Each structure stands twice: as C-alpha cells, then as structure tokens.
Amino acid sequence: MYEIIKAVIESGRYELSDMLTKIDTLWIQDDIADDQKTELVALARQHATPENSYAGIQSQLDNLYI
C-alpha cells in the first residue's frame, strides 16, 4: 500500500487533506509503519499543488474543464 500511495503523491493528482486522512487511516490500520507515515506526510505536503489542494471548490472544478 505504501508504494501505491507514494506513486499517487508523486503524480501530484490529489487533494492534500484527503491524502493526509488516507495516510492516517492506513497507519491506524497498521498497513504502513511509523517511518513510512512520516515520509508520506512530508511528501504529500511537498508535492501538493494549489490547484488541487488549496483552491476553492469552484476553482478546482473550473480547472478540471480547462
């Protein structure tokens, strides 16, 4: 599961808060180790794009159809 999440993060195609929630869920379920969680959270924050993570909902929807 770690490799899949890492690949999604590296693609940049995710919403930051959703990804952080997913990482926490995987960690709680014991699907990833503590060090993997720490790495994935750092990567998610580093690769987050404003278009997918920080813009308002309408802005994100508008960007989907450009």
Side-chain angles (χ1 to χ4, degrees):
M1 199 51 127
Y2 164 80
E3 292 297 329
I4 294 169
I5 298 300
K6 187 174 179 179
V8 171
I9 291 171
E10 289 174 344
S11 78
R13 302 189 77 195
Y14 61 92
E15 201 281 325
L16 181 58
S17 64
D18 289 343
M19 182 57 71
L20 295 176
T21 299
K22 180 67 173 173
I23 293 167
D24 283 341
T25 301
L26 291 170
W27 177 70
I28 289 168
Q29 293 173 342
D30 223 12
D31 290 332
I32 59 173
D34 292 344
D35 59 329
Q36 291 174 324
K37 176 187 183 258
T38 301
E39 179 186 352
L40 291 174
V41 167
L43 283 173
R45 292 183 187 282
Q46 178 183 2
H47 287 82
T49 59
E51 299 83 38
N52 293 337
S53 298
Y54 302 115
I57 298 296
Q58 189 59 51
S59 296
Q60 290 181 44
L61 290 173
D62 292 344
N63 286 334
L64 290 174
Y65 297 104
I66 292 179

